[in-house]
Amino acid sequence: MASKPPPSEALAAWLREQRWFGGKSRRITGLEHDDAVDLGPATLNVLRVTLDDGTIQRYAVPLSPGAAPVDALTDAAFVRCLLELVRDDARVAGRAGVVTGHRTRAFPAALAHDAPTRSLRGEQSNTSVVIGDTLILKHFRRLEDGVSPDLEITRFLTETAEFPHTPALAGWLAYGTDDETPATLAVVHALVRDARDGWEWMLAAMRDEGRRPTTLSALRRLGEITAELHLALAHAPASAPSLAAEPIADADITRWAAEAVTQLMAARAAAPPETSVPVVPAAELRDALAALRGRVKCRHHGDFHLGQTLYRSSTNAWTIVDFEGEPLRPRAERRRKHSPLRDVAGMLRSIAYAAETTRGGMPGAWVDRWETSARAAFLGGYLTGAAGAPFLPDGDASVRRVVAAFEVEKAAYEIVYEANNRPAWIAIPVRGLVSAAAALTARRTSGAP
């Protein structure tokens, strides 16, 4: 029988304090317990949260027994229980739904029962736990019906493409009831032991005069590996229709331009009154994106930035992680096929974030020069690696203008994200939006690459 949950008032207060809670800008007006599933020493609570704007969000919250909420993902015994479900392809029923484990051939043949666990810091919308020196489990906090993009893509990259620059998928957990499509609850991947978070490495290298030149060669290599990823995804077989590439139609171009405009409107609504968000006409965006006509759309990373990479400086090797997509977008939208150049725009925005983050401790002129060189290094590596790809428009100038259009959309998305999560950072995407909008117009009028 499931343990008694903490009082709703205490649980609501605790939820608001969690990094992964997606309603920080709203007030919780209702909290219901949809289900409780006993999993070893703790209980998985399925919570339905109503916010003051009427929005309803569902969360998967594993809690240890007690009157006060305690996150069970800090309990090694609970994490090992989840792994056993995956290893054994087992299932556990709650009062309304079932948690089911699934393993792949990449699951290790032997795993110590007493392997230590540690939670990773810094994630916003999910929680990751390292198990020993072998595996990493990512627990999704928001529950959405259907397969996770992270599971879907990494399963393809592991089992079909055998892509070497992502961690192998070892298994996953799903949760569902009789009247709904099972939701991905957690994924388990191989641990990349000897690598450092790409964002942390980049900032440290930029601040170290002796290592600064290595950042450019590293970014060029990242561009090449990104191209390899996109080529693998673009060649998914027709037998996997949710992954296989499709031709880009005029309707796609019109929709993508409209989505960018909608994102700009959301940015203007979310930004503080004193913040000026520029207007970019839909016609300008459509004109740039028209270069994609006749090329292909496919699955891509969807939320590509330095924090979604791991870097090994000894070998100048990158590993790309976390294919879940942008956390503010609905899952159905994150699973859509699109131009992979959205990922290129995302990484260029991340480079801008790295530059702005270090600006306070560096000469401004040096930071500006570094950002220009860093963008050129990454894009140069990408264009070399992706030469002749079916998703690239003809000519580097067209590629760069398409990327500028996607940077406009990405910077607008970042404004909304920062307004809801890190208001003090909002000036960074605002500057990026102004720059991308200017580049979009300048490249049209000059024709220059």
Side-chain angles (χ1 to χ4, degrees):
M1 183 176 179
S3 60
K4 185 177 181 180
S8 293
E9 296 80 5
L11 191 51
W14 179 82
L15 280 173
R16 288 191 56 81
E17 296 173 357
Q18 307 311 304
R19 291 174 61 88
W20 42 261
F21 180 62
K24 291 185 178 66
S25 63
R26 315 301 312 186
R27 182 170 54 88
I28 296 176
T29 59
L31 193 155
E32 299 178 24
H33 288 77
D34 283 356
D35 200 1
V37 185
D38 282 343
L39 298 172
T43 300
L44 174 71
N45 295 272
V46 178
L47 305 178
R48 184 178 300 271
V49 179
T50 303
L51 304 178
D52 60 2
D53 62 352
T55 299
I56 296 176
Q57 300 176 344
R58 279 208 314 166
Y59 289 90
V61 183
L63 296 175
S64 298
V70 176
D71 189 353
L73 287 171
T74 61
D75 183 345
F78 173 73
V79 174
R80 287 194 287 267
C81 176
L82 298 182
L83 282 183
E84 289 168 3
L85 286 176
V86 172
R87 180 196 64 197
D88 299 337
D89 288 322
R91 67 197 304 271
V92 176
R95 67 169 186 254
V98 178
V99 173
T100 309
H102 305 267
R103 65 180 291 169
T104 74
R105 63 176 180 267
F107 196 93
L111 186 66
H113 178 71
D114 58 350
T117 67
R118 59 183 175 87
S119 297
L120 297 183
R121 296 176 298 172
E123 289 193 275
Q124 294 287 345
S125 54
N126 307 301
T127 300
S128 290
V129 182
V130 173
I131 302 98
D133 61 354
T134 307
L135 297 172
I136 181 168
L137 178 146
K138 179 168 67 175
H139 187 285
F140 296 110
R141 298 297 192 157
R142 288 281 296 274
L143 271 183
E144 297 180 87
D145 293 351
V147 64
S148 151
D150 197 22
L151 167 58
E152 190 173 26
I153 292 177
T154 58
R155 187 178 184 186
F156 164 75
L157 292 173
T158 298
E159 296 185 334
T160 303
E162 298 183 347
F163 183 69
H165 304 296
T166 54
L169 176 72
W172 71 95
L173 290 163
Y175 168 83
T177 64
D178 290 339
D179 59 352
E180 67 183 8
T181 304
T184 305
L185 181 65
V187 289
V188 182
H189 288 95
L191 179 67
V192 182
R193 293 191 292 266
D194 56 345
R196 186 175 180 184
D197 176 275
W199 170 259
E200 294 178 357
W201 178 84
M202 186 63 64
L203 295 186
M206 289 173 67
R207 290 166 175 148
D208 182 339
E209 188 172 355
R211 288 194 291 163
R212 286 176 193 167
T214 67
T215 62
L216 300 182
S217 59
L219 285 169
R220 182 172 183 84
R221 180 58 184 146
L222 178 58
E224 294 169 351
I225 289 174
T226 303
E228 292 178 34
L229 169 69
H230 289 162
L231 287 167
L233 292 171
H235 290 94
S239 57
S242 67
L243 296 169
E246 300 174 7
I248 293 174
D250 286 347
D252 294 313
I253 293 169
T254 299
R255 183 176 70 254
W256 295 343
E259 288 172 348
V261 171
T262 299
Q263 190 64 68
L264 284 162
M265 293 171 62
R268 285 193 288 275
E274 67 276 11
T275 301
S276 176
V277 177
V279 175
V280 181
E284 190 79 58
L285 294 161
R286 280 197 304 271
D287 184 64
L289 296 176
L292 293 171
R293 187 178 292 114
R295 312 312 290 163
V296 302
K297 59 182 178 180
C298 60
R299 300 296 289 272
H300 61 305
H301 187 282
D303 188 24
F304 198 41
H305 55 81
L306 287 166
Q308 309 284 37
T309 67
L310 302 171
Y311 183 64
R312 294 183 291 277
S313 57
S314 60
T315 56
N316 192 27
W318 293 89
T319 300
I320 300 172
V321 299
D322 193 355
F323 288 79
E324 190 58 23
E326 294 171 328
L328 295 185
R329 298 190 188 277
R331 175 167 289 175
E333 187 174 335
R334 287 182 271 131
R335 293 184 65 224
R336 288 179 190 163
K337 294 162 189 173
H338 212 300
S339 167
L341 291 177
R342 288 184 79 230
D343 282 348
V344 175
M347 186 54 66
L348 293 178
R349 291 295 310 129
S350 189
I351 289 170
Y353 263 75
E356 294 295 338
T357 301
T358 57
R359 187 176 293 277
M362 303 280 191
W366 181 87
V367 173
D368 292 338
R369 289 195 300 272
W370 179 87
E371 182 177 352
T372 298
S373 298
R375 288 173 62 94
F378 174 77
L379 192 53
Y382 183 83
L383 290 174
T384 297
F391 48 77
L392 285 186
D394 293 332
D396 287 0
S398 294
V399 172
R400 293 169 193 266
R401 191 155 180 254
V402 169
V403 169
F406 287 140
E407 279 194 83
V408 166
E409 180 191 27
K410 183 65 175 179
Y413 170 89
E414 291 166 351
I415 290 171
V416 177
Y417 183 88
E418 301 300 7
N420 289 329
N421 295 277
R422 300 180 298 192
W425 288 45
I426 201 167
I428 297 177
V430 169
R431 284 194 291 269
L433 178 54
V434 171
S435 178
L440 186 66
T441 303
R443 290 191 177 112
R444 173 178 58 81
T445 56
S446 68

